[in-house]
Structures are given as structure tokens and as C-alpha cells.
Amino acid sequence: MKDKDVKKIVKDSYSEIAKKSGNGGSCGCCGSQSEIDIAKSIGYSDEEIATASEANLGLGCGNPTALANLNPGDIVLDLGSGAGFDAFLAAKKVGESGKVIGVDMTDEMIGKAREIAKRYGYKNVEFRLGDIDNLPIESESISVIISNCVINLAPDKLKVFKEAYRVLTKNGRMYVSDIVLLGKLSEEQKNNAELIAGCVGGAMLKDDYLKAITGAGFKYRILDEDTDISNRQYQGINLESLKVELYK
Amino acid sequence: MKKEMLDILCCPTCKGDLELEIKKEDEGEIIEGSFTCKKCNCTYSIDEGIPNLLPK
């Protein structure tokens, strides 16, 4: 499948999810679990869920802001910010002297995130419509990048990591939670639109994913691997949620 | 978007600096406007406060 076709599938699907959200909609992969159950199962506290409940669409596979040890004043970039759940949690941690920028390629998600930011008076968070493999961000301007279950959706993951490397400062860090495969998918599975949008079809084998990270110039440290997510959310497909810290 | 966020933005296509044109502003926030890349001349709109910086 061509890269632009994959992007269209992802865009259309997440646009629908944004429109339906608030009515119990979530990604096709997660069965009957509620957004709150999913958020709890992947490491969000009750307090975090309550903080930005409208922005929690149950689409993550980890809690990168919890891994990131954010400090006041940090400039944070959220790759694939969706309705802004992680961005809002990060905004609380970086305080008024910090900034959070969310980038997402889906209009409806960015619109929803901005609406929530406005309603709750978040002054240090902004959202931009953009591509995570072609970031509209100055080189070496970001102290921490977070990304939650999004890079698997990008057709060119190496390019995403290269862009992340470019925009991070010398001492910058990146915290990724993402779905990686532990066994190969069939060609049919790889081309299945629902599986692509559901974070599986476009996922890479774990070893290849780690190679893309080092190929972009990063060093990494694996923080956690959640294999149980396969049974909880992915009907037993051989995959895991990988939490990894990247640094230059 | 707020003006102070401009310094960390760049053209997604060529990474050049962006020039901002404001059409509507509200309490320090740019509601409508556009960016033009000083290097490749691509333009990007700001609609309802959201910059559309998808690459051209």
C-alpha cells in the first residue's frame, strides 16, 4: 500500500473517532473497554484521568508523561496529540514557564483539543495541524518529546525518528509508548484498513523499530514492555506496548 | 496561536523561517492569518486559531 493511502486511512479513521468521541467511541481495536478502563490499564492514575477526562479518548498504549519526569519550564512536543490528553497532563507539569505543543494531522482532533484547551483555560498548550514525519518545528528547540501509540501509524517511522532527533535539543529526551510486533503479520493483515487504524497493521517488528530509532541517531533505553495488552485490547495478536526513552 | 510560539515554528517543507501575517487577533492570540516561508515561499493558513502546517 502507498504511504499516502495509509495516511488517508489513518486520517479518515481518527477524524471519525474525534467526531464520535464523547459518545463512547474508541479505536476499532479496543472492543468493549471504556476509555477510562483503557487509561487505567495502561498506567494513568485516577487523578490524571479526572484532570483531562474529555481529552481521553482511550487511544493510547501507555502513559508517556508519567515516564518523562517533566520539569517546570520544559518545552514539550507531543507527536500525534489527538484530543490533547497527554498534552494537557504535560502542561500541568511544565507550568507557566513551560510550553507544550501538540502536532496532529487530523483536523477534527486538533479542533477538539483546542476547544478543550480554551474551555479549561490552558495557556501553555498549543496545537498545530502537521505531519510528524515533516515537523513544522525549528531544529534543536524542544526539550522533551512524548508520543503515545502514534508512530506505528506513520508509514515512514525512520523519518519520524529523524525529525524528532532534529528538533530535540542536545540534552533532549523522547518518551515513546507504541505498539510493536513480536511476530510477523500476514500481507492481508498489513493491508487491513481497520488493523492499520487500530495501531497493528502498520506496526513494525520490535527489532526493526529499535533499528529505526538507532538509525535516526538516537540511543535508547527500554523502560517497560506490556505484552498483556495483546490479550486486553488486540485479540491475542503477537504484539506488545513498548515504552522507550530516546536520547542523543 | 500566540505570537511567542512563533520562534519555535518553521516551514514543514523546507525548514525555512516563517513570516507571519495577522488578519484577526484576540487578546494576544492570532485567530486568522497566514505564514509565508521566507525560503520556499510556501504559504500556510491560520484558521480559527489553528495553524495548518501540513507540508505542501
Side-chain angles (χ1 to χ4, degrees):
Chain A
M1 197 180 294
K2 285 182 185 155
D3 285 3
K4 69 170 178 28
D5 296 332
V6 173
K7 280 191 181 177
K8 187 170 182 327
I9 288 171
V10 172
K11 214 178 223 181
D12 290 351
S13 169
Y14 283 82
S15 153
E16 279 306 306
I17 293 168
K19 282 184 211 158
K20 281 186 200 155
S21 62
N23 305 315
S26 69
C27 67
C29 59
C30 307
S32 57
Q33 277 189 289
S34 75
E35 292 88 340
I36 293 171
D37 290 340
I38 290 168
K40 276 188 188 172
S41 75
I42 56 178
Y44 290 97
S45 68
D46 289 338
E47 195 192 338
E48 286 175 320
I49 295 167
T51 297
S53 62
E54 284 166 74
N56 169 27
L57 305 188
L59 302 173
C61 59
N63 180 357
T65 57
L67 305 172
N69 283 323
L70 295 171
N71 296 308
D74 278 340
I75 312 288
V76 179
L77 172 66
D78 184 1
L79 299 184
S81 46
F85 189 34
D86 291 321
F88 296 131
L89 295 178
K92 285 206 138 190
K93 294 184 181 178
V94 303
E96 280 176 23
S97 59
K99 279 180 198 148
V100 181
I101 300 154
V103 172
D104 202 286
M105 67 170 180
T106 310
D107 267 323
E108 288 79 3
M109 284 290 182
I110 292 282
K112 194 172 175 64
R114 184 174 140 78
E115 187 194 305
I116 296 170
K118 227 173 156 183
R119 199 172 331 135
Y120 291 95
Y122 283 97
K123 301 235 180 283
N124 56 348
V125 191
E126 293 219 335
F127 297 96
R128 277 122 188 57
L129 201 54
D131 254 352
I132 60 170
D133 59 7
N134 257 314
L135 289 170
I137 307 284
E138 280 278 2
S139 299
E140 297 186 32
S141 63
I142 303 292
S143 37
V144 181
I145 297 178
I146 54 173
S147 184
N148 194 357
C149 218
V150 167
I151 299 173
N152 72 78
L153 300 167
D156 190 344
K157 291 153 189 67
L158 176 62
K159 201 173 170 199
V160 174
F161 287 120
K162 280 183 176 169
E163 274 292 82
Y165 190 92
R166 179 182 67 78
V167 303
L168 270 182
T169 57
K170 203 175 132 209
N171 298 315
R173 297 160 291 136
M174 176 167 177
Y175 294 86
V176 179
S177 173
D178 205 1
I179 295 297
V180 292
L181 301 172
L182 301 175
K184 282 186 179 169
L185 295 178
S186 67
E187 282 306 307
E188 201 180 320
Q189 284 175 310
K190 280 186 201 169
N191 291 308
N192 178 305
E194 205 175 310
L195 282 181
I196 290 171
C199 301
V200 177
M204 258 182 168
L205 283 165
K206 182 180 146 190
D207 286 352
D208 294 339
Y209 194 86
L210 295 172
K211 269 184 209 157
I213 289 173
T214 52
F218 279 116
K219 298 181 185 76
Y220 69 85
R221 187 165 67 99
I222 293 176
L223 303 172
D224 189 38
E225 294 178 79
D226 173 6
T227 48
D228 187 53
I229 200 168
S230 161
N231 291 322
R232 292 198 317 269
Q233 294 187 33
Y234 296 98
Q235 296 92 40
I237 296 173
N238 198 8
L239 53 73
E240 67 173 27
S241 165
L242 177 71
K243 282 89 171 173
V244 60
E245 178 187 46
L246 282 55
Y247 51 98
K248 286 190 169 181
Chain B
M1 67 161 275
K2 293 182 193 72
K3 272 189 224 163
E4 61 260 32
M5 291 285 204
L6 185 65
D7 54 352
I8 46 176
L9 284 186
C10 74
C11 172
T13 312
C14 78
K15 315 302 176 196
D17 287 340
L18 298 170
E19 199 165 274
L20 173 66
E21 191 194 338
I22 302 170
K23 288 184 189 137
K24 190 178 159 196
E25 209 176 341
D26 184 22
E27 291 174 22
E29 204 180 349
I30 303 149
I31 308 294
E32 305 289 334
S34 64
F35 293 113
T36 305
C37 177
K38 291 179 190 169
K39 207 165 140 191
C40 72
N41 265 329
C42 280
T43 58
Y44 305 93
S45 62
I46 304 169
D47 297 314
E48 294 176 23
I50 300 167
N52 179 346
L53 289 160
L54 286 165
K56 296 279 161 106

